[in-house]
Amino acid sequence: MVQRITPRSVDDSAWYTDVVQAAELADYSPVRGCMVIRPYGYALWEYMQQYLDVRFKATKHQPAYFPLFIPQSFIQKEAEHIEGFAPQLAVVTQGGGEKLEEPLIVRPTSETIINAMYAKWIRSYRDLPVLYYQWCNIVRWEMRTRLFLRTMEFLWHEGHTAHATAEGAMQEVLLILEIYRKLCEEELAMPVIPGRKSDSEKFAGADATWTIEAMMGNKWALQAGTSHFLGQHFAKVFNIQFLDENNQLQMVWQTSWAVTTRLVGALVMVHGDDQGLRLPPRVAPIQVVVVPIWKNNAERSQVMGVVERIRGELGKHIRLHVDDRPDLSPGFKFNDWELRGVPLRLEVGPKDVSKAQVVLARRDMAAKHNKSVVPLDRLLPEVQKLLDDIQHNLYEQALRFREENTYYPETYEQFAEAVNKGFAIGYWCGSAECESKMKEETKATIRCIPMEQDGKPGHCIICGGEAKEKAVFARAF
Amino acid sequence: MVQRITPRSVDDSAWYTDVVQAAELADYSPVRGCMVIRPYGYALWEYMQQYLDVRFKATKHQPAYFPLFIPQSFIQKEAEHIEGFAPQLAVVTQGGGEKLEEPLIVRPTSETIINAMYAKWIRSYRDLPVLYYQWCNIVRWEMRTRLFLRTMEFLWHEGHTAHATAEGAMQEVLLILEIYRKLCEEELAMPVIPGRKSDSEKFAGADATWTIEAMMGNKWALQAGTSHFLGQHFAKVFNIQFLDENNQLQMVWQTSWAVTTRLVGALVMVHGDDQGLRLPPRVAPIQVVVVPIWKNNAERSQVMGVVERIRGELGKHIRLHVDDRPDLSPGFKFNDWELRGVPLRLEVGPKDVSKAQVVLARRDMAAKHNKSVVPLDRLLPEVQKLLDDIQHNLYEQALRFREENTYYPETYEQFAEAVNKGFAIGYWCGSAECESKMKEETKATIRCIPMEQDGKPGHCIICGGEAKEKAVFARAF
């Protein structure tokens, strides 16, 4: 029943697919390009949803819901937007048995349909800011499926806001980026680099895109969340105007932002190992799994007595699961829960009962160094301490991994080598020519121009010309 | 700014649309048949989602997510199913710029795609029961839009379960129906009649459908939730088999069930009046609205001091909103919040401050009888008592309304008159002929055969033949 997983060192891509399926996070569906998110994977997404929902509401954002279908003519209104999305559209041409006069697009993002409504609702400065978001499904045509990371349909939230001033919109962009950064670093234990996208990498229809970029286990980058400053692109196209305090007509300034179910895939790739998942305790659907150990009925009733006590005491504070499946061996169960990435395993056998103790085994450390014996009367504080420690340790491991695989090349030759081994950090003059030359020659892209810069000018790693800022270059999913 | 609402007595249908739009629950979208759910309406749906989610999980159900698209060939596999849904399908025929080999159906319900996966996952009796559900959007082609009640796209959850025995599946059907009943009666203050659908009214592909039926303000019925006993229809078509404890291959028994965003519309129709919405306190996004009253700055600072104290004390326990919009009169605000159905209004003026009191006005009672003066030091318990009382009163009003408009005709002539005035309860012999004759002649349908029966046989109200059970007959949305 526990499935074989291709070792990570042999084939990272096969390893990833094996883990996602064997741990029952997701599965392929009969519809090419679409996946099924299974309950264990959905629980990870649900945790992120709830985390974000609380923070969005605390910052006065409101959930709403806009239609799945967008008239073809709407999506064509903003020139860059349609250029970016045209190759990815799914089109409904028949409905209720008849051919449609105007085809409907299944939303690839909702700027056009939402801004058509904003034009109707927004009248006065009193209506601003409008801070709406929705949780929904999105379709972008895509046949090279990679579970969670690249699928035709995925889940996300998308925020769409309208502000009276450019400054108000820009504050929003950064407020959201910081919420995303915290989600990734503090909850998913995944270090990210916040920064700005180059023009060629920004969202189709935005003035500027802000991003957080993470390093995956194969040393490629993954864009983990984006927050777009839309300027007045859509406001102009959809004519979203308001009367300001001086009774003058003004156009709104806008943002949009999203994170998607690909974050579940990121969790797998950042923390997983040859045994399977390793989940950070904060996001883990099961934080502690209890495996009772016995050989006969007398032992069983002894052990289960203690297990029930543990369930009662710990279950109120942490997400606990007791694996009392009768016909499986403890060894099988250990492997099974390691595969599923449960941070802490709690073993109780007859000997432990007689000594009023249990054994705790950490998922984040190598076997033989990962066990401790804990007296029952110290269990809760010890478990809480270990969970905190695992959370911290997974973050530190991921950060160290990124640092060890980040290069600061001094020549273009070194650079071209570096981007195939990890992240390369170097000056970029800002020209699209350098960017596309580099992309063509190395297959890397500019992941972002980090917000953190040392302020000193330098020389472009590609052309040698003057450069003000450093960029992060890498291969990316 | 407060919009005129057509009086209910003049035109119930126009009244409904006016209220939904003026209270900002929803709006028409540029896509014919699709609506936009605005934040105030979405908050009502979100409350129902959270309520149900807790109860589904407490009964061991797990959320998951299945694809939006269903291959055309899948949806055609179950004969009754495709017959029922064929006229309502939206079809994607183009993707990524190319014509698709096999068109994809936008899910009108997910039995076929989910059961294709169950056939892959279910192997042994140990895997059963499988109790999954998903929150998602659904598309059924529909051009006669009625906000919330009838839209091309709507939101729902759909549960899909598989069991080892017919009894297990039947228990599930009734467990879920009871959760739905409680949601409607205890939270939405909307009395419902639980019962079984006639064969002609059951879900396309089910053995039997169980339903809860509510009476709306226009005396028509609304199907508020359904729970289907699918038998082995889909198991046979998708070959969902398991090895039982004796190592014999068996087919699973299944259920599916759903409630949709139409419940938001039901809330409006059951409780609303000529002033607008009346929301039951449990589900109301704002339970108490505070309207401060002042004439000058000195009064303002006095009053706002008390308001802040109230916000601090009440805000921890109830959903409270302070309407401190500076340039609107108290009278305007009163109307505005009445329109939005806030159960309790709290007024504070300078006189109240000097007497350490506030005025509370209930939304569920006629003006002039709905006010009470409450000392500040008794505020929290008094507010809680009033909210409980309003919740109870709205339920009782709706129940009384249903009882006053429910008839027990003794002749077919009386019956034909009754179903156009409200609910008619009478014996039905169970024959499809009687059902379709009645439907044709009266436009009513059999809403359900109630679970509560007195056990005595009688004579069919349509043909006069022998009948074992009574049914509820009515016009329906």
Side-chain angles (χ1 to χ4, degrees):
Chain A
M1 279 161 83
V2 169
Q3 295 170 52
R4 281 277 173 78
I5 294 171
T6 310
R8 212 166 178 180
S9 50
V10 172
D11 180 343
D12 194 78
S13 176
W15 167 85
Y16 174 79
T17 305
D18 286 353
V19 168
V20 168
Q21 289 191 284
E24 297 186 352
L25 296 181
D27 205 347
Y28 293 102
S29 88
V31 185
R32 215 176 134 196
C34 292
M35 70 170 167
V36 174
I37 306 179
R38 302 185 72 173
Y40 199 56
Y42 196 83
L44 295 169
W45 179 238
E46 211 177 25
Y47 179 88
M48 300 182 209
Q49 282 189 300
Q50 285 165 2
Y51 174 93
L52 290 171
D53 231 42
V54 167
R55 277 141 194 95
F56 292 157
K57 287 177 183 172
T59 48
K60 305 207 169 175
H61 297 83
Q62 295 182 289
Y65 188 77
F66 294 85
L68 172 67
F69 295 140
I70 301 177
Q72 197 167 48
S73 57
F74 276 55
I75 218 149
Q76 291 167 341
K77 283 193 180 185
E78 212 283 338
E80 280 183 32
H81 192 64
I82 182 63
E83 201 193 317
F85 284 103
Q88 295 185 292
L89 302 179
V91 188
V92 176
T93 60
Q94 291 171 31
E98 288 178 21
K99 188 168 178 293
L100 304 186
E101 279 180 35
E102 180 180 5
L104 295 173
I105 306 300
V106 185
R107 63 179 162 222
T109 181
S110 301
E111 275 75 8
T112 55
I113 188 83
I114 291 180
N115 285 320
M117 298 310 296
Y118 281 4
K120 186 177 169 187
W121 295 334
I122 295 171
R123 290 278 164 266
S124 146
Y125 70 94
R126 286 192 199 86
D127 300 327
L128 298 175
V130 171
L131 307 171
Y132 292 174
Y133 65 100
Q134 67 177 352
W135 292 98
C136 65
N137 53 346
I138 284 295
V139 171
R140 295 180 186 172
W141 207 263
E142 182 60 69
M143 284 309 190
R144 289 169 301 151
T145 310
R146 220 167 137 78
L147 295 165
F148 289 114
L149 298 179
R150 188 184 288 280
T151 49
M152 186 202 294
E153 184 193 13
F154 54 87
L155 303 182
W156 78 356
H157 67 257
E158 49 182 323
H160 295 270
T161 70
H163 305 258
T165 63
E167 295 70 41
M170 197 56 222
Q171 276 170 22
E172 170 77 11
V173 167
L174 298 179
L175 169 77
I176 295 298
L177 198 74
E178 176 62 8
I179 291 175
Y180 291 167
R181 186 194 65 75
K182 283 193 167 179
L183 167 67
C184 289
E185 299 199 330
E186 296 175 8
E187 305 300 311
L188 312 187
M190 178 171 80
V192 293
I193 302 175
R196 214 171 69 242
K197 285 284 184 191
S198 69
D199 274 1
S200 81
E201 298 283 336
K202 72 178 164 61
F203 175 74
D207 260 11
T209 287
W210 297 77
T211 180
I212 47 173
E213 300 282 326
M215 181 182 283
M216 301 295 104
N218 69 345
K219 301 164 198 170
W220 286 25
L222 184 97
Q223 175 180 303
T226 48
S227 185
H228 313 298
F229 179 73
L230 300 176
Q232 298 184 313
H233 288 215
F234 291 93
K236 282 175 188 158
V237 169
F238 286 93
N239 198 26
I240 315 178
Q241 294 189 306
F242 68 97
L243 282 173
D244 70 10
E245 278 150 305
N246 306 313
N247 232 23
Q248 300 295 309
L249 264 184
Q250 304 277 359
M251 287 235 169
V252 299
W253 296 84
Q254 298 194 273
T255 83
S256 67
W257 28 271
V259 303
T260 78
T261 33
R262 82 182 331 202
L263 281 185
V264 178
L267 261 183
V268 178
M269 287 205 297
V270 168
H271 300 301
D273 66 15
D274 285 353
Q275 275 67 55
L277 289 181
R278 300 192 309 163
L279 293 175
R282 290 222 188 125
V283 68
I286 298 171
Q287 297 172 310
V288 175
V289 63
V290 179
V291 180
I293 300 167
W294 67 75
K295 291 209 195 70
N296 53 49
N297 274 342
E299 285 184 5
R300 182 180 187 282
S301 86
Q302 235 189 346
V303 167
M304 286 310 289
V306 173
V307 165
E308 287 312 322
R309 227 182 85 198
I310 292 171
R311 197 204 302 259
E313 280 167 30
L314 259 64
K316 278 175 290 193
H317 304 280
I318 53 168
R319 297 188 288 273
L320 180 132
H321 176 73
V322 176
D323 185 355
D324 53 6
R325 290 178 287 179
D327 37 11
L328 298 173
S329 72
F332 178 94
K333 291 178 183 180
F334 292 179
N335 287 335
D336 197 24
W337 295 111
E338 276 173 15
L339 167 64
R340 282 162 214 271
V342 173
L344 209 51
R345 181 176 74 232
L346 191 158
E347 308 166 11
V348 202
K351 257 191 210 158
D352 301 312
V353 172
S354 67
K355 292 188 191 167
Q357 69 183 33
V358 300
V359 176
L360 294 175
R362 297 170 63 145
R363 179 65 181 88
D364 64 325
M365 288 166 69
K368 291 180 187 170
H369 304 290
N370 70 337
K371 288 195 177 188
S372 56
V373 174
V374 176
L376 271 176
D377 58 8
R378 288 269 315 140
L379 189 55
L380 180 60
E382 195 59 31
V383 163
Q384 284 171 326
K385 196 180 131 300
L386 281 174
L387 290 176
D388 284 349
D389 204 46
I390 295 169
Q391 181 79 28
H392 181 72
N393 186 40
L394 286 174
Y395 179 82
E396 289 300 322
Q397 285 183 18
L399 185 61
R400 209 175 316 129
F401 182 81
R402 189 185 79 192
E403 284 170 354
E404 284 168 3
N405 293 288
T406 296
Y407 302 90
Y408 301 85
E410 299 196 347
T411 67
Y412 186 65
E413 210 171 28
Q414 287 173 3
F415 170 87
E417 209 177 289
V419 290
N420 279 302
K421 295 190 300 182
F423 284 10
I425 296 187
Y427 281 98
W428 174 49
C429 65
S431 87
E433 290 71 34
C434 282
E435 188 181 10
S436 71
K437 169 184 148 74
M438 176 279 301
K439 202 168 160 179
E440 211 167 282
E441 291 174 359
T442 65
K443 290 186 187 162
T445 50
I446 296 179
R447 302 315 305 155
C448 71
I449 298 127
M451 292 170 81
E452 220 180 285
Q453 296 277 347
D454 58 16
K456 288 180 225 150
H459 294 283
C460 178
I461 191 73
I462 302 150
C463 70
E466 278 180 28
K468 285 186 214 149
E469 291 177 309
K470 286 180 181 163
V472 177
F473 301 81
R475 297 288 295 272
F477 282 93
Chain B
M1 278 160 84
V2 170
Q3 294 170 52
R4 281 279 174 76
I5 293 171
T6 309
R8 214 165 177 178
S9 50
V10 172
D11 181 344
D12 194 79
S13 176
W15 166 85
Y16 174 78
T17 304
D18 287 353
V19 168
V20 169
Q21 288 190 283
E24 297 185 351
L25 296 181
D27 205 346
Y28 293 102
S29 87
V31 186
R32 217 176 133 194
C34 292
M35 70 169 166
V36 174
I37 306 179
R38 302 185 71 173
Y40 198 56
Y42 196 82
L44 295 169
W45 179 238
E46 210 177 25
Y47 179 88
M48 300 182 209
Q49 282 189 299
Q50 285 164 0
Y51 175 92
L52 291 171
D53 232 39
V54 168
R55 276 139 195 98
F56 292 156
K57 287 178 184 172
T59 49
K60 306 206 169 177
H61 297 82
Q62 294 181 290
Y65 188 76
F66 295 85
L68 171 68
F69 295 141
I70 301 177
Q72 198 168 45
S73 57
F74 276 54
I75 217 147
Q76 291 167 341
K77 283 193 180 183
E78 212 284 337
E80 280 183 32
H81 193 64
I82 182 63
E83 201 193 317
F85 284 104
Q88 295 185 291
L89 301 180
V91 188
V92 176
T93 60
Q94 291 171 30
E98 287 178 21
K99 190 169 177 293
L100 304 187
E101 277 180 36
E102 180 180 5
L104 295 173
I105 306 299
V106 185
R107 65 181 159 222
T109 180
S110 301
E111 274 76 7
T112 55
I113 188 83
I114 292 181
N115 286 319
M117 298 310 297
Y118 282 4
K120 186 175 169 188
W121 296 334
I122 295 171
R123 289 277 164 267
S124 146
Y125 70 94
R126 285 192 200 87
D127 301 327
L128 299 174
V130 172
L131 307 172
Y132 293 173
Y133 66 101
Q134 67 177 352
W135 292 98
C136 65
N137 53 346
I138 285 293
V139 171
R140 295 180 185 172
W141 207 262
E142 181 60 69
M143 284 310 192
R144 289 169 302 151
T145 311
R146 223 167 135 77
L147 296 164
F148 289 113
L149 298 178
R150 187 183 289 281
T151 48
M152 186 202 291
E153 184 193 12
F154 55 86
L155 303 182
W156 78 356
H157 66 257
E158 49 182 323
H160 296 270
T161 70
H163 306 259
T165 62
E167 296 70 40
M170 197 55 222
Q171 275 170 19
E172 170 78 10
V173 167
L174 298 179
L175 170 77
I176 295 297
L177 198 75
E178 177 62 8
I179 291 174
Y180 291 167
R181 186 194 65 75
K182 283 194 168 179
L183 167 67
C184 289
E185 299 200 329
E186 295 175 8
E187 306 300 310
L188 312 187
M190 177 170 81
V192 293
I193 302 174
R196 212 171 71 243
K197 285 284 184 192
S198 69
D199 274 1
S200 80
E201 298 283 337
K202 72 178 164 57
F203 176 75
D207 260 11
T209 287
W210 296 78
T211 179
I212 46 173
E213 299 282 327
M215 182 183 281
M216 300 294 104
N218 69 345
K219 300 164 198 170
W220 285 24
L222 184 97
Q223 174 180 303
T226 48
S227 185
H228 313 297
F229 178 74
L230 300 177
Q232 298 183 314
H233 288 215
F234 291 93
K236 282 175 188 159
V237 169
F238 287 94
N239 199 27
I240 315 177
Q241 293 189 308
F242 67 98
L243 281 174
D244 71 11
E245 279 150 302
N246 307 312
N247 232 22
Q248 300 296 306
L249 263 185
Q250 303 277 359
M251 289 236 165
V252 299
W253 295 84
Q254 298 194 274
T255 83
S256 67
W257 28 272
V259 303
T260 78
T261 32
R262 81 182 331 202
L263 281 185
V264 179
L267 260 184
V268 178
M269 287 204 297
V270 167
H271 301 300
D273 66 15
D274 285 353
Q275 275 67 55
L277 289 181
R278 298 192 310 164
L279 293 175
R282 291 221 188 126
V283 68
I286 299 171
Q287 296 173 310
V288 175
V289 63
V290 179
V291 180
I293 299 166
W294 67 75
K295 291 209 195 73
N296 52 50
N297 275 342
E299 285 184 5
R300 182 180 187 283
S301 85
Q302 234 189 347
V303 167
M304 286 311 289
V306 173
V307 165
E308 287 313 322
R309 227 181 84 196
I310 292 171
R311 196 203 302 259
E313 281 168 29
L314 259 64
K316 278 175 290 194
H317 304 280
I318 54 168
R319 298 188 287 274
L320 179 132
H321 176 74
V322 176
D323 185 355
D324 53 6
R325 290 178 287 178
D327 38 10
L328 299 172
S329 71
F332 178 93
K333 291 179 182 179
F334 292 179
N335 287 335
D336 197 24
W337 295 111
E338 276 174 15
L339 167 64
R340 284 162 212 269
V342 174
L344 208 51
R345 180 177 75 233
L346 192 158
E347 308 166 11
V348 203
K351 258 190 211 161
D352 301 312
V353 171
S354 66
K355 292 186 189 169
Q357 68 183 29
V358 300
V359 176
L360 294 174
R362 299 170 61 143
R363 179 67 181 87
D364 64 324
M365 288 165 69
K368 290 178 187 170
H369 303 289
N370 70 338
K371 288 196 177 186
S372 55
V373 174
V374 176
L376 271 176
D377 59 8
R378 288 270 312 140
L379 189 55
L380 179 61
E382 195 59 28
V383 163
Q384 284 171 327
K385 196 179 133 300
L386 280 173
L387 290 176
D388 284 349
D389 204 47
I390 295 168
Q391 181 79 27
H392 181 72
N393 186 39
L394 286 174
Y395 179 82
E396 288 300 321
Q397 284 183 19
L399 184 61
R400 209 176 316 128
F401 182 80
R402 189 184 79 191
E403 284 170 353
E404 285 167 3
N405 293 289
T406 296
Y407 302 90
Y408 301 85
E410 299 195 344
T411 67
Y412 185 66
E413 209 172 28
Q414 287 173 3
F415 169 87
E417 211 176 288
V419 290
N420 279 301
K421 295 189 300 182
F423 285 9
I425 295 186
Y427 281 99
W428 174 49
C429 65
S431 88
E433 290 73 33
C434 282
E435 187 181 11
S436 72
K437 170 183 146 77
M438 175 279 302
K439 201 167 160 179
E440 211 166 282
E441 291 174 0
T442 67
K443 291 186 187 162
T445 50
I446 296 179
R447 302 315 305 156
C448 71
I449 298 127
M451 292 170 81
E452 218 179 288
Q453 295 278 347
D454 58 16
K456 289 179 224 151
H459 294 283
C460 177
I461 192 72
I462 302 150
C463 71
E466 279 180 26
K468 285 186 213 151
E469 291 176 310
K470 285 179 182 165
V472 177
F473 302 81
R475 296 287 295 274
F477 281 95

